[in-house]
């Protein structure tokens, strides 16, 4: 098991692998997903701390500079309202906020402007939010006397440079292990309201209108109102500022990931990636675990504690990863999940100088690789109906005796059926040509070549590939100018791919001959594969 400081886009790549590159910008927003099976994701395939995150003290300062504008936009889209009401006096009734005001109907809109926000960590489990803001309310009044006609006026209530200090408590839910945030207290609230009445001397003298309404508004603009107004807005916003892996939780349908699924295969992957496992506020920053749960089960309806990761029928019946054994050797959490303790660098020892550092363990990546294969997502058919140039004539340039079995035009349909036999293995590197950010090892990957002969698909031969694919990742922009990561394949050359030929008894060419010819074809195909990988847009988090 390895946990290293790596750029934040690594976790985006991991999420894409899990979600089957579904897109949508927010995990699996663009793919077909369903709720997890009853009982949730198996505990033995859940790792608390499989990914880890650190926000430094400098990171909080960066957020401090960005939060006011985001909070202002959020408040503008979620207007608070004082509802319409009335009260009686000796000589009549007074109605207030009786008109429509923007989205308040009827009612009075509470207009807030955020001046500044600062974040700091006063203790090991508390994040303090120190906020200065302004409030303005335009209150229409209508006096309906017992004798005489109606009169109306406005009172403008303003409270400038209000200071609100809120302490947010971070804890881990004992049952689920997920991160929880609660408003702990409001240790400081400076409140001073100014009123500008425009009701005229007659109304004022008759009913003491201004004094009564001012007292009412003053009571409304008290600690209770400000707290009730801002708490439901602030809590999700502050939680959203954590570089959360977007709360992926469900069963993703991976069908069509790279081709048409093999008949009888319905590749799905259970995923649960949520903040939790541990949280520490220390050294002026935050250390946060990410729960990573990945599982594939061919038939969840037959699930038992001993049979909860049944592989698809198209792959060998290999057992699910045992994270309690070598090389992971993970301990159990109080929830009977496996647990990966935070590495020193993700507790700020030492601080890296970066605002945010995200790491993903090789254990988690290998878990993704195992269940991606176990799900049957790479058991696919790629044929002439999807790639028009893929026909018996094309393969005949390499294997003449196979093409001779078809018609003279060479347009007989060809079908490639992939059969992975071993889980994918990952290693994390340094991001260089010699040590790519990620290296993917795919061993004994079978591809069966079928041609449509004699009114049926007939297998001509099978290639067995051993591949080592390096991936470096760079920051850039996509075609729309949005921030993106750009995958760069490293070492994807025929000389780095092991090729074996089996099941060739049907052919005139022997296995050794074909094994020497295939690298030539790969050298023509691989550059096209390298150039086909475009930028991957980064997900939006809390407006960033």
């Amino acid at each position: 098991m390895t946990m290293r400081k790596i750029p934040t886009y690594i976790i985006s790549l991991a999420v894409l692998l899990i979600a089957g590159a579904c897109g949508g910008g927010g995990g699996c927003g663009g793919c077909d997903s369903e709720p997890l099976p009853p009982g949730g994701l198996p505990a033995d395939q859940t790792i608390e701390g499989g990914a880890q995150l650190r926000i430094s003290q400098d990171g909080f300062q960066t957020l401090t500079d960005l939060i006011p504008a985001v909070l202002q936009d959020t408040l503008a889209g979620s207007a608070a309202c004082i509802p319409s009401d009335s009260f009686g006096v000796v000589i009549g009734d007074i109605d207030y906020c009786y008109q429509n005001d923007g989205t308040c109907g009827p009612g009075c809109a509470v207009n807030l402007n955020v001046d500044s926000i600062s974040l700091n960590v006063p203790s090991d489990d508390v994040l303090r939010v120190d906020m200065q803001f302004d409030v303005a309310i335009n209150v229409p009044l209508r006096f309906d006397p017992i004798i005489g006609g109606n009169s109306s006026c406005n009172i403008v209530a303003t409270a400038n440079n209000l200071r609100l200090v809120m302490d947010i408590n971070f804890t881990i839910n004992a049952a689920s292990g997920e991160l929880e945030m609660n408003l702990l207290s409001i240790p400081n609230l400076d409140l001073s309201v100014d009123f500008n009445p425009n009701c005229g001397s007659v109304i004022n003298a008759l009913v003491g209108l201004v004094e009564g309404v001012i007292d009412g508004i003053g009571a409304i603009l008290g600690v209770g109102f400000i707290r009730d107004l801002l708490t439901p807005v602030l809590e999700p916003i502050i939680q959203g500022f954590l570089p959360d892996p977007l709360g992926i939780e469900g069963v993703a349908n991976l069908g069509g990931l790279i081709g048409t699924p093999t008949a009888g295969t319905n590749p799905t992957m259970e995923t649960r990636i949520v903040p939790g496992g541990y949280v520490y506020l220390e050294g002026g920053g935050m250390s946060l675990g990410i729960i990573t749960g990945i599982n594939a089960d061919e038939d969840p309806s037959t699930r038992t504690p001993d049979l909860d990761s049944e592989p698809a029928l198209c792959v060998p019946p290999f057992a699910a990863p045992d994270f309690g054994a070598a090389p992971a050797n993970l301990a159990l959490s109080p929830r009977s999940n496996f647990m990966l303790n935070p590495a020193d660098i993700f507790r700020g020892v030492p601080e890296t100088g970066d605002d945010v550092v995200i790491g993903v363990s090789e254990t988690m990546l290998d878990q993704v690789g195992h269940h991606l294969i176990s799900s049957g997502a790479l058991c696919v058919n790629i044929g002439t109906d999807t790639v028009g140039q893929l026909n018996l004539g094309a393969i005949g340039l390499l294997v003449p005796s196979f093409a001779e079995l078809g018609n003279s035009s060479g347009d007989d349909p060809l079908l490639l059926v992939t059969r992975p036999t071993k889980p994918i293995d990952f290693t994390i590197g340094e991001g260089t040509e010699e040590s790519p950010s990620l290296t993917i090892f795919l061993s004994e990957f079978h591809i069966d070549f079928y041609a449509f002969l004699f009114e049926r698909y007939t297998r001509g031969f099978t290639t067995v590939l051993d591949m080592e694919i390096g991936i470096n990742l760079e920051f850039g922009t996509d075609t729309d100018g949005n921030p993106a990561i750009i995958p760069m394949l490293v070492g994807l050359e025929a000389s780095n791919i092991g090729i074996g030929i089996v099941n060739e008894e049907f052919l005139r060419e022997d296995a050794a001959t074909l094994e020497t010819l295939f690298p030539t074809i790969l050298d023509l195909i691989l550059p096209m594969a390298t150039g086909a990988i475009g930028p991957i847009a980064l997900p939006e988090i809390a407006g960033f």
Side-chain angles (χ1 to χ4, degrees):
M1 182 278 299
T2 300
M3 174 70 74
R4 297 182 182 171
K5 175 210 166 185
I6 53 178
T8 58
Y9 47 65
I10 290 290
I11 192 129
S12 298
L13 181 63
V15 170
L16 288 173
L17 286 170
I18 296 161
C22 302
C28 205
C31 60
D32 182 15
S33 63
E34 300 176 357
L36 292 172
L41 201 139
D44 63 358
Q45 296 304 302
T46 300
I47 306 172
E48 297 183 7
Q52 302 181 3
L53 176 147
R54 172 70 181 172
I55 303 177
S56 67
Q57 189 171 14
D58 289 343
F60 275 135
Q61 183 57 52
T62 299
L63 292 178
T64 292
D65 297 337
L66 297 173
I67 286 174
V70 176
L71 183 58
Q72 188 67 53
D73 291 342
T74 303
L75 291 173
S78 55
C81 302
I82 297 175
S84 174
D85 205 346
S86 65
F87 59 91
V89 295
V90 175
I91 59 174
D93 296 322
I94 298 173
D95 302 322
Y96 64 90
C97 298
Y98 56 88
Q99 298 174 331
N100 294 337
D101 187 357
T103 58
C104 301
C108 295
V110 180
N111 301 302
L112 292 105
N113 181 69
V114 180
D115 298 326
S116 64
I117 286 181
S118 65
L119 307 176
N120 62 84
V121 181
S123 63
D124 287 347
D125 60 353
V126 172
L127 175 67
R128 177 160 291 173
V129 182
D130 194 337
M131 176 178 177
Q132 182 175 299
F133 60 99
D134 307 323
V135 178
I137 308 174
N138 183 34
V139 182
L141 302 171
R142 181 172 59 197
F143 174 53
D144 184 12
I146 297 175
I147 300 174
N150 295 338
S151 300
S152 61
C153 63
N154 289 320
I155 291 180
V156 177
T158 58
N160 293 322
N161 300 322
L162 300 182
R163 183 177 177 226
L164 176 66
V165 177
M166 303 176 68
D167 284 348
I168 307 297
N169 179 233
F170 287 76
T171 59
I172 295 299
N173 183 284
S176 68
E178 295 182 10
L179 177 69
E180 289 187 343
M181 300 175 64
N182 302 291
L183 175 62
L184 186 64
S185 64
I186 299 181
N188 189 30
L189 175 60
D190 297 334
L191 183 63
S192 177
V193 183
D194 297 324
F195 297 92
N196 181 20
N198 181 25
C199 291
S201 58
V202 175
I203 296 178
N204 292 347
L206 285 174
V207 298
L209 176 63
V210 174
E211 289 82 357
V213 174
I214 285 177
D215 289 342
I217 296 174
I220 290 172
L221 285 179
V223 173
F225 173 76
I226 295 297
R227 176 174 176 166
D228 292 343
L229 174 66
L230 292 179
T231 297
V233 176
L234 277 176
E235 286 194 358
I237 289 177
I238 296 299
Q239 188 168 358
F241 285 140
L242 304 175
D244 177 353
L246 309 179
I248 296 174
E249 187 164 337
V251 180
N253 189 332
L254 304 183
L257 181 61
I258 61 170
T260 304
T262 299
T265 301
N266 180 30
T268 60
M269 187 179 292
E270 302 166 26
T271 60
R272 179 176 175 240
I273 302 181
V274 293
Y278 67 83
V279 59
Y280 304 107
L281 276 74
E282 54 193 358
M286 173 182 288
S287 301
L288 178 65
I290 298 170
I291 300 172
T292 59
I294 312 294
N295 187 59
D297 190 359
E298 194 272 335
D299 187 0
S301 67
T302 62
R303 180 170 293 182
T304 67
D306 297 325
L307 187 65
D308 53 18
S309 302
E310 192 175 3
L313 300 179
C314 65
V315 299
F318 39 69
D322 180 2
F323 300 114
N329 296 318
L330 300 185
L332 292 177
S333 75
R335 288 157 291 278
S336 297
N337 302 321
F338 285 101
M339 178 177 60
L340 185 59
N341 292 325
D344 287 345
I345 200 169
F346 296 102
R347 295 195 69 170
V349 184
E351 290 284 17
T352 65
D354 299 314
D355 290 343
V356 179
V357 180
I358 296 179
V360 57
S361 65
E362 283 189 14
T363 303
M364 180 237 178
L365 290 175
D366 289 341
Q367 181 187 22
V368 173
H370 178 101
H371 290 292
L372 188 66
I373 297 297
S374 179
S375 70
L378 300 188
C379 297
V380 298
N381 301 334
I382 303 174
T384 306
D385 56 341
T386 54
V387 181
Q389 298 85 352
L390 190 63
N391 54 40
L392 188 57
I395 199 66
L397 298 175
L398 183 66
V399 191
S401 65
F402 195 23
E404 290 169 5
L405 299 174
N407 60 50
S408 58
S409 63
D411 59 0
D412 299 280
L414 192 69
L415 182 65
L416 276 58
V417 179
T418 64
R419 292 186 293 112
T421 62
K422 289 188 176 181
I424 298 173
D425 184 50
F426 290 85
T427 61
I428 297 173
E430 304 296 336
T432 65
E433 287 285 331
E434 297 75 22
S435 178
S437 298
L438 284 179
T439 301
I440 303 172
F441 297 91
L442 189 59
S443 302
E444 298 185 21
F445 189 82
H446 291 223
I447 304 177
D448 296 319
F449 285 73
Y450 288 84
F452 194 75
L453 306 171
F454 318 118
E455 300 184 356
R456 57 173 292 178
Y457 275 104
T458 303
R459 185 175 66 184
F461 62 98
T462 301
T463 63
V464 182
L465 303 181
D466 291 322
M467 293 182 285
E468 178 180 327
I469 305 171
I471 302 177
N472 279 327
L473 303 136
E474 298 179 356
F475 278 114
T477 57
D478 62 14
T479 54
D480 297 323
N482 298 316
I485 58 174
I486 304 172
M488 309 292 291
L489 298 183
V490 178
L492 189 57
E493 302 171 355
S495 58
N496 295 330
I497 299 176
I499 301 174
I501 303 293
V502 296
N503 302 324
E504 81 288 359
E505 296 86 356
F506 197 57
L507 305 176
R508 183 170 60 246
E509 296 83 1
D510 58 23
T513 301
L514 295 177
E515 288 168 6
T516 59
L517 293 175
F518 258 87
T520 303
I521 301 299
L522 291 177
D523 280 334
L524 295 175
I525 296 175
L526 292 178
M528 292 186 290
T530 302
I533 301 178
I536 301 172
L538 291 172
E540 181 179 296
I541 301 176
F544 297 114

